[in-house]
Amino acid sequence: MSFDLLAEPIRRYVRDQRWESLRPIQAAAIQHILATDDNYILASRTASGKTEAAFLPILSKVDFRQPGVRVLYISPLIALINDQFHRIEQLCKYLEVRVTKWHGEASRAEKKKLVQQPEGIVLITPESLEAMFVNAPYSVSALFAQLQYVVIDEIHSFLGTDRGIHLKSLLSRLEAVTVARSFAVVGLSATIGDYAEAKRFTGHEDRTKVLLDRASKEMLTSFRYFPATEAGGDLPLSLLKDLYKQTSNSKVLIFPNSRGLAEVIAVKLRQIADRVGGHDKYFSHHSSVDKEVREYVEHFAKHNQRQPFCIACTSTLELGIDIGSVEKVVQVDAAHSIASLIQRVGRSGRRDGEQSQLLLYATKPWSLLQSLACWLLYREGFVEPLRTATQPYDLLLHQALSTVKQLSGCPEAELVARLHANAAFSTIAPAQTAGILAELLRIGWLERIGQEVIIGVEGEYVVSSRDFYSVFKTEPAFKVQHAGKTIGEIPLTPQVKENENLLLAARIWKIKYIDEKAKKIEVMPAHDGKKPIFLGGGGVVDARIRTKMLELLSHPSQHPELDEASQEALRELRQEFAGFTLSDTAHQRPVLVKEGKLVLFTFTGTRINRSLVFLLNCLDAPVTYAYQEEDSSFTLALTPAQLPGLVEQLRLFAIDVYGYLEVAVRENPGLLDFAKWGASLPVTCQCGVLKERYFDFEGTADFLQNTLLVFSQLPQAASFTDGFQEGV
DNA sequence: GACCTGCTGCGGAGTG
């Protein structure tokens, strides 16, 4: 049925592929895309042919004899563009349509040719599109004036992120240069939790539809518990031995949540394999491993059908790039989000009829509890809700500079109007935009010439810098080399000294010398070393995960997926909370009374805990406290009678926090380090960015208002506010 | 107790 709707050359392509049938998502996409000019989100599991689902109908529909680029494909990764280029080019040979890669590592000659004769399909990254707007705005209109379709791959990776707001703004600006003032958008993804958000992303929620294939693969899951021997130490040997036994004969991906631990696992498993005569295909894969080394690992995994292998990796192997069939996925300690767990699980079982396995290791009781909570929520189909910023002042600042550069200056009123008309910034009031522009004029990033604003002297440095095109920050790093070969890149931490040993790319190295000027570290092979240290902020855990953890502690549910040691660890943890009778885990929170102190377990998300820490530091009469993210607990030097009063005080601060935020941001500008362009905003906007993206004071006030405290040694529950009234 | 992502234009040397 759907097949017959395709153009003849495309039908020939499908026949030549010898596919038995079209996949469900392909059949649905063909019917819908050919019938309407609406936007579509195509959601179905990895390796289900989404690229073809989009391109078969689009190529059948679009008239490529017209001049101009007709289809633009946008990807979050260069590697994905290179992957997709081959597939799309194969398909386009049947139509004699030109396909051009346009990213930082693509051929300049090809780009130049395309500008001279704009046609066909272009594959691009958001940053390259940004660069084109800034450096060659005439090319943007020359290439894209006749644009008919924009395909966004892995669209979930943009949703709810700064990079997503950036891309949304670029799409809005792109629409403005097309003759038709619009194009259709097709978004592709395997993991979308929030379809409304995906629809809004296209800029036209009302004419965006979702085509969804829910089919998924069953995984054989088991939890395994090996308690860490020392705090902050490496993994216990018993875990590594078990891990080796479980994985030595399979094709495996191991996700240990950090680059350092990925190295430890790859090196230690290789050492065990050496001793017992196992295979030697142990790799590590993360951002600090050299790109060529990573490509070799990906290539090996993809083209190797029979041999077992093991890759210890971070989120570099979560997205899109096809690495062939994986039989087992191992997660060491809890994944930071359910969205991430879904992507990781999705890396295995790409072939039909293959049984795949998920192994969840834990080294600490709380991590086991969190891991179990995440897995149960994943099974329930829960994905963290996305919070797209409604006041992204920092991204507006970036796009304001980019727009002024694009237009070579423009009247201030027109700039304000353009930014307001941009779908990414429609929720920002023009008065706020004017305030941001005033600040840019004040610091010399913009200048006023007559009626127009242009890029200022200081601004030229910013806009001309290589770092301008992206909205995310990166840490400076040193190249690690051995005998002329680059192994990877690491930040210069105190650990990096001559004669120190470190692990990188699944090997052990001794540092020979450090060339500060050239930013290079020369190393030689060694036999023993420490894991590399990387600097990073903390993770953000959703409140729903913490509530699930509390439910697991309060209700004696059975989980056959847990091994004996895990069962025992869970039993012990439940025992610690046996003194509390919690009937309403949505609102009740336990407070342990011991040794003249209180331990308040908030069981809420990182943002609210973070806000509570901030509010505690605002108090006029300081309270001694210690906060732990692992078990979401606050240890307070208070008596039970004092707690309700404190809580009410914090709630009042949370409702009217602005003054405190302003003081904090002036005293400690580092608070805004998470926002690349935040430092140049007016202080009011800086506070707005902090409030919306780092803290959650509204949620905190809500939490403080509605939570019922259950003390371990008091007979009955007391509400925060009740308690406060009693205290008065 | 984190992880990831991308990048222009120019000059000059080397190559065909």
Side-chain angles (χ1 to χ4, degrees):
Chain A
M1 268 286 278
S2 300
F3 178 79
D4 301 325
L5 300 172
L6 296 170
E8 164 47 29
I10 304 293
R11 291 207 296 267
R12 195 147 40 82
Y13 167 84
V14 173
R15 279 195 297 267
D16 288 355
Q17 299 300 302
R18 299 175 191 279
W19 293 341
E20 283 175 19
S21 63
L22 291 170
R23 302 289 183 94
I25 194 73
Q26 294 171 340
I30 290 169
Q31 292 188 4
H32 283 86
I33 291 173
L34 287 178
T36 76
D37 289 329
D38 288 341
N39 299 329
Y40 288 96
I41 306 295
L42 309 184
S44 81
R45 59 178 296 254
T46 38
S48 61
K50 286 190 294 291
T51 310
E52 288 78 7
F55 277 96
L56 296 179
I58 289 174
L59 294 181
S60 293
K61 187 174 179 178
V62 173
D63 182 0
F64 285 97
R65 289 168 305 182
Q66 304 282 327
V69 172
R70 310 306 306 275
V71 179
L72 182 62
Y73 163 97
I74 299 175
S75 153
L77 303 175
I78 288 179
L80 199 54
I81 289 183
N82 296 341
D83 241 27
Q84 300 282 40
F85 175 74
H86 297 290
R87 295 167 72 182
I88 297 170
E89 204 188 28
Q90 280 300 316
L91 178 50
C92 285
K93 275 188 185 144
Y94 288 73
L95 294 162
E96 290 173 20
V97 168
R98 190 156 110 210
V99 187
T100 310
K101 284 186 278 191
W102 191 296
H103 56 66
E105 293 166 18
S107 151
R108 291 176 185 212
E110 290 290 317
K111 294 181 190 171
K112 210 170 149 189
K113 254 197 277 177
L114 185 76
V115 173
Q116 282 159 0
Q117 196 188 333
E119 59 174 347
I121 299 175
V122 168
L123 318 183
I124 203 166
T125 59
E127 287 72 21
S128 280
L129 191 53
E130 173 66 58
M132 209 191 291
F133 267 113
V134 170
N135 296 315
Y138 38 88
S139 295
V140 178
S141 28
L143 290 176
F144 301 126
Q146 308 295 331
L147 198 61
Q148 204 174 334
Y149 270 95
V150 171
V151 178
I152 306 172
D153 208 349
E154 305 282 6
I155 193 169
H156 65 273
S157 73
F158 293 113
L159 301 180
T161 69
D162 292 355
R163 202 177 180 202
I165 295 172
H166 183 203
L167 176 55
K168 194 170 170 178
S169 165
L170 292 171
L171 290 178
S172 203
R173 292 166 66 188
L174 197 56
E175 257 186 344
V177 307
T178 59
V179 172
R181 292 282 179 272
S182 94
F183 42 72
V185 177
V186 177
L188 315 180
S189 176
T191 2
I192 292 185
D194 190 338
Y195 291 98
E197 192 56 44
K199 286 162 84 168
R200 276 194 290 277
F201 190 78
T202 66
H204 303 280
E205 188 180 1
D206 48 325
R207 52 181 168 90
T208 303
K209 299 196 174 100
V210 177
L211 303 181
L212 173 62
D213 176 4
R214 277 190 200 279
S216 68
K217 277 224 116 167
E218 264 305 302
M219 297 281 291
L220 196 64
T221 306
S222 52
F223 286 81
R224 309 177 78 77
Y225 182 68
F226 293 88
T229 41
E230 54 188 294
D234 286 351
L235 297 167
L237 189 60
S238 53
L239 185 152
L240 289 161
K241 281 181 176 168
D242 188 75
L243 185 54
Y244 179 77
K245 225 169 24 191
Q246 296 290 334
T247 58
S248 59
N249 290 316
S250 311
K251 290 179 267 184
V252 190
L253 290 186
I254 302 179
F255 292 94
N257 294 343
S258 79
R259 288 175 279 177
L261 275 184
E263 291 298 344
V264 170
I265 288 177
V267 165
K268 296 270 164 92
L269 289 186
R270 183 202 294 282
Q271 283 174 341
I272 297 176
D274 269 353
R275 273 204 301 277
V276 303
H279 72 73
D280 63 348
K281 305 300 178 207
Y282 287 89
F283 307 107
S284 69
H285 191 289
H286 52 78
S287 66
S288 295
V289 174
D290 181 64
K291 201 168 163 354
E292 274 182 40
V293 178
R294 280 153 71 181
E295 279 166 6
Y296 168 79
V297 174
E298 290 159 26
H299 186 266
F300 177 87
K302 186 172 176 175
H303 293 94
N304 152 67
Q305 300 298 328
R306 270 173 252 125
Q307 257 181 301
F309 63 79
C310 178
I311 310 173
C313 55
T314 60
S315 43
T316 46
L317 284 184
E318 256 179 39
L319 269 193
I321 317 150
D322 180 10
I323 50 157
S325 84
V326 171
E327 294 155 341
K328 292 188 185 182
V329 172
V330 180
Q331 173 68 48
V332 179
D333 284 331
H336 298 103
S337 74
I338 294 156
S340 166
L341 181 64
I342 295 173
Q343 284 290 131
R344 292 173 182 189
V345 168
R347 301 311 316 208
S348 90
R350 293 169 76 93
R351 300 236 190 91
D352 297 327
E354 271 177 7
Q355 173 75 282
S356 42
Q357 210 185 339
L358 172 64
L359 290 167
L360 295 151
Y361 281 84
T363 61
K364 282 166 282 180
W366 284 97
S367 164
L368 168 70
L369 188 67
Q370 189 177 325
S371 195
L372 181 58
C374 282
W375 182 72
L376 290 169
L377 288 168
Y378 156 64
R379 292 275 302 254
E380 289 170 21
F382 175 86
V383 187
E384 289 88 356
L386 298 163
R387 302 170 40 126
T388 295
T390 62
Q391 307 297 308
Y393 303 122
D394 49 336
L395 298 164
L396 179 135
L397 179 151
H398 177 246
Q399 290 297 285
L401 291 171
S402 171
T403 303
V404 171
K405 181 79 177 173
Q406 173 198 349
L407 302 175
S408 304
C410 85
E412 189 170 344
E414 185 195 327
L415 182 58
V416 174
R418 272 179 184 257
L419 291 166
H420 192 59
N422 188 316
F425 309 118
S426 58
T427 48
I428 293 182
Q432 292 283 17
T433 304
I436 292 167
L437 297 181
E439 180 68 12
L440 289 177
L441 286 161
R442 194 185 70 79
I443 61 175
W445 286 19
L446 291 179
E447 258 168 47
R448 218 190 293 273
I449 300 273
Q451 294 299 305
E452 299 216 330
V453 285
I454 59 167
I455 298 291
V457 177
E458 291 299 315
E460 275 300 338
Y461 289 108
V462 179
V463 179
S464 310
S465 142
R466 204 162 162 268
D467 200 38
F468 180 71
Y469 313 111
S470 73
V471 296
F472 47 84
K473 271 191 168 180
T474 38
E475 53 184 340
F478 277 49
K479 268 203 163 78
V480 179
Q481 296 184 318
H482 168 61
K485 239 194 120 189
T486 303
I487 301 149
E489 280 191 2
I490 59 169
L492 200 64
T493 60
Q495 175 203 27
V496 178
K497 274 187 273 177
E498 282 167 21
N499 289 321
E500 279 287 317
N501 287 17
L502 59 84
L503 312 182
L504 192 60
R507 301 282 178 183
I508 306 168
W509 309 97
K510 180 183 281 295
I511 298 175
K512 272 165 67 184
Y513 67 86
I514 301 164
D515 185 341
E516 299 263 356
K517 213 170 144 204
K519 297 194 168 181
K520 280 179 188 166
I521 301 170
E522 183 68 26
V523 297
M524 55 189 280
H527 298 292
D528 193 20
K530 298 186 194 73
K531 71 177 178 192
I533 297 170
F534 298 101
L535 310 164
V540 172
V541 177
D542 192 85
R544 184 73 191 86
I545 295 174
R546 291 269 161 69
T547 315
K548 190 77 181 174
M549 288 164 71
L550 181 59
E551 281 170 32
L552 282 167
L553 286 180
S554 316
H555 304 296
S557 50
Q558 296 291 319
H559 303 282
E561 296 82 9
L562 272 61
D563 73 349
E564 204 142 305
S566 309
Q567 303 270 14
E568 182 54 32
L570 181 60
R571 233 183 337 260
E572 277 175 25
L573 209 49
R574 280 175 170 166
Q575 195 54 42
E576 282 179 39
F577 285 79
F580 302 97
T581 318
L582 303 177
S583 51
D584 174 9
T585 45
H587 298 106
Q588 292 176 321
R589 290 295 178 268
V591 185
L592 198 65
V593 184
K594 65 169 186 190
E595 296 154 15
K597 286 183 181 162
L598 302 179
V599 187
L600 164 61
F601 293 90
T602 58
F603 283 102
T604 187
T606 308
R607 283 170 193 284
I608 291 182
N609 284 336
R610 213 182 249 168
S611 309
L612 287 171
V613 168
F614 180 84
L615 296 171
L616 278 166
N617 292 336
C618 293
L619 294 172
D620 300 325
V623 170
T624 309
Y625 75 94
Y627 166 63
Q628 275 203 124
E629 170 75 1
E630 181 188 48
D631 57 2
S632 186
S633 74
F634 287 81
T635 304
L636 302 149
L638 291 176
T639 65
Q642 289 173 305
L643 184 55
L646 172 71
V647 161
E648 179 58 9
Q649 211 181 340
L650 295 180
R651 191 182 70 83
L652 293 175
F653 278 146
I655 294 170
D656 189 16
V657 77
Y658 184 85
Y660 297 99
L661 264 182
E662 194 176 321
V663 172
V665 89
R666 283 187 199 280
E667 278 177 4
N668 178 17
L671 267 178
L672 268 160
D673 274 352
F674 67 92
K676 182 167 167 182
W677 304 100
S680 310
L681 287 170
V683 172
T684 51
C685 292
Q686 292 184 333
C687 293
V689 166
L690 272 172
K691 242 172 113 171
E692 189 177 49
R693 305 233 287 283
Y694 189 74
F695 296 113
D696 177 7
F697 293 110
E698 255 174 62
T700 304
D702 226 43
F703 174 81
L704 293 171
Q705 172 98 50
N706 296 314
T707 296
L708 301 163
L709 299 172
V710 180
F711 291 92
S712 59
Q713 290 180 352
L714 296 181
Q716 68 213 34
S719 117
F720 280 158
T721 14
D722 290 352
F724 176 66
Q725 282 153 359
E726 278 166 32
V728 171

